[in-house]
Amino acid sequence: MDKRRPRVPASPEKNRPRLRVVEDDTTEPEAPAPAARETEEAPRPREARRPEPTADRTPSRRDRIHRFWQFAEEGNPYTTFWLLLGSALALTVFGLVMVLSATAVESVGTVDGAYGVFLRQLTWAGIGLVGMFVVAFMPRGWLKKLAWPAMALGVLGLALVLTPLGYDVQGNRNWIRIGGFNGQPAELAKIALCLWTGVVLARKGPRVRELQHTIVPVLMPGAALIFAFILWGRDLGTALVFGFFLAAMLFVSGTKARYFFVAGATGAVGAVLLALMSPNRTVRIQAWLGINDACSLPQDFCYQSQQGLYALASGGFWGVGLGQSRQKWNYIPEAENDFIFTILGEELGLLGALTVLLLFATLALGMFRVASRSTETWVKITTVGIMAWVIGQTFINLAMVTGLLPVIGVPLPFISYGGSALTANLIAVGVVMNFAQTQRIEARERAAGSRSSGGKRAKGSKRSTSAKGAGVKSRRKPATV
């Protein structure tokens, strides 16, 4: 008889894995298998799974900031040219579309018809694009040679404004009419002053830090003549733009900071005096500050700015639609000029306004890259001057239409109506494109030179290795039988 005990199935509790007690031994225990480790380790508490403290992330944030700054400062020399070209063309197209939308309503029934103003702007855009490409691909040395003749022509054009050829527009005498040609000589004088100042300051070099070399001949008599003609024509807004980019060029060239404080204080006092000498400017500043009840005057100096704010507010995020603006129906005076950004914001909304601002930022990024990568002083100074001119004028116009500054009559580059202004802006971008094209060619030559030198080194090392091997073989004794 089989007296063995019957096998009883083990209970589930007995089948559970049990932890083995490992005695303290001198030998190092083996690491458990991954699967066993997962089953043996207890889950970590919630506090242990928290992210790393902020102090540990500081290096990564610094790296990201460094990479972003490196992207903005250096970038790729092959793409800077296309950044400038693409943003300039896109802004020009935006301007043409908005000029057509802002002027078609008021031009219906006139001699030129609904598309007369748009066709004139389109003609000037074509002339400006031709000039931009001509300047962009001309030899860079020609720009240096053209600096002095361009400066002479710029001063001569401003002097013609004070002759019978000049005429007033909205209280400012800054236009000339020669036959069927109308234009603002101050716009072309901006390019002339940028080129001439860059060449002169680069030639002076470190001597710019001395006061006499800072003043002569850049400020006296060069810039002084231009400011005299502009202020004689009562165009304070254009004078502010000239002063802004001229100060930026002097700063980049190495002028001492204390000179800027003295010049800034002098300029502020002069601007206040000029404003007090003109009743029109005084009332506009009072209307902007909301004092002396200037908005209740019969001229209604607050009307234009208020209607512009109404247009921006009614646009919302998406806008009311292209061509569907309500404020352009004779509510905003000169809607195609200084206040065209309000029409853009009304029709294209916040999305369209941000798109235009992004294009201006892209243009500024391309110019900043050209200036930072350049090894020539005159290229750096000239590029900074053009960038300060375009971006500074953009800031003044946007601050004016949004109420941050009083209405001073400064157009928006590339967008506002004005043939001479659009042509000057495109030619100025062409100058910077010329510098970017040169940097792209130099980068291509350096890359080709490094590849050729690398190939030569590789061939040279191969020859030396073979020669070394041949020398070793020659030193061996001949085998004996």
Side-chain angles (χ1 to χ4, degrees), residues 74-81 369 373 436 439-440 443 446:
E74 297 181 2
N76 190 343
Y78 297 100
T79 60
T80 304
F81 179 88
R369 283 184 178 181
R373 292 180 61 90
Q439 292 179 1
R440 184 172 64 170
R446 285 195 301 268

Side-chain angles (χ1 to χ4, degrees), residues 260-283:
F260 289 100
F261 290 110
V262 176
T266 305
V269 173
V272 172
L273 293 176
L274 289 173
L276 294 176
M277 292 170 59
S278 174
N280 186 23
R281 296 195 192 104
T282 303
V283 176

